[in-house]
Amino acid sequence: MSPSPSILSVLSEDLLVRVYGFLDPPCRKTWRLASKEFHRVDSLSRTSIRILRVEFLPVLLSKYPNLSSLDLSVCPKLDDDVVLRLASNGAVSIQSLNLSRATALRARGLETLARLCHGLERVDVSHCWGFGDREAAALSVAAGLREVRMDKCLSLSDVGLARIVLGCSNLNKISLKWCMEISDLGIDLLCKKCKDLRSLDVSYLKITSDSIRSIALLPKLEILEMVNCPLIDDDGLEYLENGCPSLQEIDVTRCERVSLSGVVSIVRGHPDLQHLKASHCVSEVSRSFLHNIKALKHLKTLWIDGARVSDSSLLTLSSSCRSLTDIGVSKCEGVTDIGMTGLARNCLNLKTLNLACCGFVTDAAISAVARSCRNLETLKLESCHMITEKGLQSLGCYSKLLQELDLTDCYGVNDRGLEYISKCSNLLSLKLGLCTNISDKGIFHIGSKCSKLLELDLYRCGGFGDDGLAAISRGCKSLNRLIISYCGELTDAGVEQIRQLEHLSHLELRGLKNITGAGLAAVACGCKKLDYLDLKKCENIDDSGFWALAYFARNLRQINLCYCSVSDTALCMLMSNLSRVQDIDLVNLNRVTVEGSEFALRACCNRLKKLKLFAPLRFLLSSELLEMLHARGCRIRWD
């Protein structure tokens, strides 16, 4: 008797696509495996994909014909030869390409990709150490590019930027953060040729006011980021007062030569400004600043971290800019309960508040914020030592939308405070590092009620132990980031419970001297998605733990083994089996010989991008190995 057809087979493709769209990612995976119809719908409707193993790329490109976004940033073996083999399969209609940290990719491969992806509009080559002028010239073949991100391409100069600008004149977004060889000359050419630029990031560049004069001529520029540009001064910002008519967002954080008068110039010339970030360059909130900022009726973001403020200035500021949703006043002298209470009363739509290191803020201010700002999503209270359970009680009662809470180094936080915080059931991120007055009892409340938690930081919280960690592992199944470094009471009994966290990708166990190979083996067996692991100074883990790690943790990309008791054999097995590892710290491995280090590095040298080694090994490892690592784009730090 033939099996009856699936009910899904009678539904049209349009209906299947609509149904499929309502499913969350885990459910989609289940349905793909169980239903041919949904498997087909997935193949046709998927538009983006992140490739982990480059050898599967040709098959996946043919399986998903409608892909528009391709992420190759985590492929450890991506190089020119791979791209050339891929080109034999013909062109693809990719619009967005992420090549971040593809350090082995050079000009030949980039040009091939640019020609292969004939509809390419967005590309990211950030942190590609070998990306220089030749590679920029190769990328310029993609004439339709509209967005380019080249953060920390340290070999890129004005010549390479010129090639991209001349070849891709339709650019509307470009990021040159940390491209230290770019000068005023390159920025001037960029501004002359790419008049449609809407977003520009020149953070950390040593450009001068001449560049700001050129930037001021961009008629459509909406976002300008200039974080920590040491040579930009108030004279340069004066050019912006009458330029960039479309400017909506500017960031001059930590520009050491920029003062209050420069910021006032920006404010005076752009009444429609929505986001102003001037942290650690505004010395004080003066009358002049307040007078001009009154005109910014649509201001949503204001960062003045590190400035001197008064209660009256905060009251004036908040009464003038009632649309504010994001305020940063961390490390500001003069922030007290009076000013914060007035701010909370005026800025009812506040979603993000940064009060880190505001030592005079007490429970009264936190209670006022919680009662008035019911849409609050992010609250940063690092080193606010006067916060106690009373303030946290208000957060638990009123801040039902709170998603991120930073209480690092708030030693007034105790178990009762955690009980109140646990009522914020939508919490996604909770940072409790250096909170020494919490125990298993408080952690139990978090584990039992904050089921949506994605990130938990318990750095140096020495008061909690295995029972608390077990509660977190049982209740916070969605955790993908967990920091329990230097929590000295933890043993294998607690660490073994981490295996229940199937979605965990980032785990820091630094300085846990009571865990052994058994604890690490349990973590490796259960946490198959782990891609970052810090085991520094976990001195009692033996080779049994590292063998388990080598066998089960196949997704690891970054690992810190400094001061660990790993042997030659175990290290070689780790480096051979962990085929996706790209970043390793291997300092002070007392049981590893020079020969062991040599063999281990040879086993993974074709995929390493960053490596930290004990300084004397510079003269003991073979020159052939070091040259091979350099040729593959690996950066070595000698410690």
Side-chain angles (χ1 to χ4, degrees):
M1 186 177 186
S2 60
S4 59
S6 165
I7 189 173
L8 297 175
S9 62
V10 302
L11 298 179
S12 68
E13 188 172 289
D14 289 343
L15 283 174
L16 285 172
V17 169
R18 291 183 64 183
V19 172
Y20 194 67
F22 285 109
L23 302 177
D24 56 31
C27 290
R28 288 185 180 187
K29 183 177 181 180
T30 302
W31 277 100
R32 285 200 305 268
L33 295 173
S35 166
K36 290 183 179 179
E37 286 78 12
F38 273 121
H39 189 275
R40 177 173 54 83
V41 166
D42 178 67
S43 298
L44 295 175
S45 61
R46 183 184 286 267
T47 58
S48 63
I49 193 168
R50 189 186 194 199
I51 307 294
L52 299 178
R53 299 181 63 176
V54 74
E55 55 266 33
F56 296 139
L57 183 55
V59 175
L60 292 170
L61 287 178
S62 61
K63 181 179 178 181
Y64 301 108
N66 295 319
L67 285 178
S68 61
S69 178
L70 179 61
D71 186 347
L72 299 173
S73 62
V74 293
C75 289
K77 296 182 180 180
L78 184 65
D79 57 22
D80 290 351
D81 292 336
V82 170
V83 171
L84 291 173
R85 289 196 298 272
L86 178 64
S88 62
N89 296 318
V92 291
S93 57
I94 298 296
Q95 297 176 3
S96 178
L97 187 58
N98 188 347
L99 300 172
S100 175
R101 292 180 169 82
T103 55
L105 202 58
R106 296 290 189 266
R108 186 174 55 149
L110 280 167
E111 183 172 353
T112 302
L113 275 174
R115 296 186 186 280
L116 184 66
C117 304
H118 51 76
L120 195 60
E121 295 182 358
R122 296 175 294 278
V123 67
D124 185 350
V125 290
S126 300
H127 302 278
C128 292
W129 319 120
F131 188 95
D133 295 340
R134 289 185 59 209
E135 286 69 28
L139 191 59
S140 67
V141 171
L145 277 179
R146 295 184 178 276
E147 298 181 13
V148 181
R149 186 171 181 176
M150 297 183 286
D151 298 351
K152 224 165 189 179
C153 290
L154 301 179
S155 300
L156 180 68
S157 73
D158 292 335
V159 175
L161 179 59
R163 295 297 297 268
I164 289 180
V165 167
L166 295 174
C168 313
S169 58
N170 293 322
L171 284 176
N172 57 40
K173 183 177 182 179
I174 188 168
S175 180
L176 299 168
K177 187 188 300 183
W178 282 109
C179 294
M180 304 304 292
E181 298 299 317
I182 300 296
S183 70
D184 292 335
L185 185 64
I187 299 300
D188 182 59
L189 182 62
L190 171 68
C191 296
K192 286 179 178 177
K193 296 296 182 181
C194 300
K195 293 293 187 181
D196 291 333
L197 270 182
R198 297 180 183 274
S199 176
L200 174 61
D201 191 341
V202 292
S203 298
Y204 302 96
L205 301 192
K206 294 181 180 179
I207 55 175
T208 70
S209 298
D210 290 338
S211 287
I212 308 303
R213 179 166 49 193
S214 302
I215 291 170
L217 299 177
L218 292 171
K220 299 181 181 180
L221 191 68
E222 297 175 355
I223 301 173
L224 177 58
E225 298 188 54
M226 301 187 294
V227 177
N228 206 351
C229 290
L231 302 181
I232 290 177
D233 56 20
D234 294 339
D235 293 336
L237 295 186
E238 285 184 6
Y239 291 120
L240 293 177
E241 182 175 350
N242 298 312
C244 297
S246 302
L247 195 64
Q248 296 181 13
E249 178 177 344
I250 187 166
D251 190 347
V252 291
T253 296
R254 295 190 184 278
C255 290
E256 57 189 46
R257 296 191 181 184
V258 171
S259 68
L260 186 63
S261 63
V263 176
V264 168
S265 297
I266 298 170
V267 172
R268 196 163 48 224
H270 299 89
D272 294 326
L273 199 66
Q274 296 184 22
H275 307 278
L276 175 60
K277 302 174 183 179
S279 300
H280 304 290
C281 63
V282 174
S283 59
E284 64 176 337
V285 177
S286 65
R287 290 183 179 180
S288 172
F289 180 79
L290 292 172
H291 174 75
N292 286 280
I293 210 166
K294 286 181 180 179
L296 303 184
K297 299 300 182 183
H298 305 293
L299 192 66
K300 297 178 180 179
T301 300
L302 179 62
W303 293 1
I304 51 173
D305 308 88
R308 290 192 303 274
V309 299
S310 63
D311 293 332
S312 60
S313 62
L314 279 178
L315 290 170
T316 303
L317 182 65
S318 59
S319 62
S320 302
C321 305
R322 294 177 179 267
S323 298
L324 281 172
T325 60
D326 183 348
I327 300 177
V329 288
S330 68
K331 299 183 180 180
C332 283
E333 291 183 35
V335 175
T336 69
D337 292 344
I338 296 174
M340 290 311 304
T341 301
L343 187 146
R345 187 171 57 248
N346 291 324
C347 299
L348 301 180
N349 296 317
L350 200 62
K351 292 184 177 182
T352 300
L353 176 60
N354 187 353
L355 288 170
C357 302
C358 291
F360 294 104
V361 169
T362 72
D363 294 328
I366 302 306
S367 297
V369 170
R371 288 191 177 94
S372 299
C373 307
R374 299 296 180 92
N375 295 320
L376 193 66
E377 296 177 356
T378 299
L379 180 59
K380 299 180 181 181
L381 299 172
E382 179 182 352
S383 298
C384 290
H385 301 308
M386 299 180 73
I387 303 299
T388 69
E389 61 188 65
K390 185 177 180 181
L392 301 181
Q393 182 179 17
S394 296
L395 288 177
C397 289
Y398 302 109
S399 299
K400 299 302 182 181
L401 300 180
L402 195 64
Q403 296 180 12
E404 180 180 348
L405 178 60
D406 188 348
L407 294 170
T408 302
D409 195 26
C410 292
Y411 46 69
V413 175
N414 56 19
D415 291 339
R416 180 61 64 87
L418 293 189
E419 182 180 358
Y420 294 138
I421 290 172
S422 68
K423 296 179 181 179
C424 301
S425 57
N426 287 308
L427 268 182
L428 302 179
S429 175
L430 178 60
K431 297 181 179 180
L432 298 169
L434 300 170
C435 291
T436 54
N437 293 319
I438 60 177
S439 68
D440 288 338
K441 182 179 178 181
I443 296 297
F444 178 81
H445 291 296
I446 300 299
S448 60
K449 296 180 181 178
C450 298
S451 59
K452 297 180 182 180
L453 210 58
L454 300 178
E455 177 183 2
L456 179 60
D457 184 351
L458 296 168
Y459 176 79
R460 289 190 185 275
C461 292
F464 92 103
D466 294 336
D467 292 340
L469 188 54
I472 291 295
S473 301
R474 286 193 305 269
C476 303
K477 297 289 189 180
S478 299
L479 267 184
N480 58 41
R481 184 182 177 94
L482 177 62
I483 301 173
I484 49 177
S485 297
Y486 298 106
C487 295
E489 297 298 316
L490 294 176
T491 68
D492 284 342
V495 171
E496 286 175 358
Q497 299 302 314
I498 295 176
R499 63 188 170 191
Q500 301 178 60
L501 302 175
E502 297 180 356
H503 300 288
L504 196 66
S505 62
H506 183 111
L507 178 61
E508 297 186 27
L509 303 174
R510 180 179 295 201
L512 300 188
K513 299 184 184 297
N514 294 326
I515 64 171
T516 67
L520 181 59
V523 171
C525 292
C527 305
K528 300 294 180 59
K529 295 184 179 180
L530 206 60
D531 70 5
Y532 178 94
L533 181 60
D534 188 347
L535 297 173
K536 184 176 181 179
K537 296 186 177 181
C538 293
E539 300 167 353
N540 289 316
I541 296 177
D542 57 20
D543 281 356
S544 65
F546 295 116
W547 282 90
L549 198 64
Y551 187 79
F552 293 108
R554 298 300 181 91
N555 286 315
L556 267 180
R557 293 195 296 123
Q558 187 171 347
I559 185 168
N560 188 341
L561 297 176
C562 296
Y563 297 91
C564 285
S565 299
V566 62
S567 68
D568 283 350
T569 306
L571 183 62
C572 289
M573 179 59 70
L574 275 172
M575 298 302 98
S576 299
N577 276 27
L578 301 179
S579 59
R580 295 174 190 166
V581 163
Q582 302 175 29
D583 189 338
I584 316 173
D585 289 0
L586 301 173
V587 175
N588 285 93
L589 304 182
N590 294 329
R591 295 181 61 204
V592 176
T593 64
V594 175
E595 291 75 15
S597 297
E598 180 92 16
F599 282 123
L601 292 176
R602 284 184 179 275
C604 60
C605 66
N606 65 337
R607 56 181 181 270
L608 286 184
K609 297 178 181 179
K610 291 180 70 177
L611 180 61
K612 186 177 181 181
L613 292 173
F614 193 38
L617 287 177
R618 182 199 293 260
F619 309 103
L620 299 174
L621 294 172
S622 69
S623 58
E624 177 193 357
L625 172 62
L626 296 179
E627 289 171 4
M628 193 184 309
L629 288 167
H630 180 73
R632 294 287 304 179
C634 178
R635 299 194 72 187
I636 303 177
R637 177 183 170 188
W638 303 98
D639 194 288

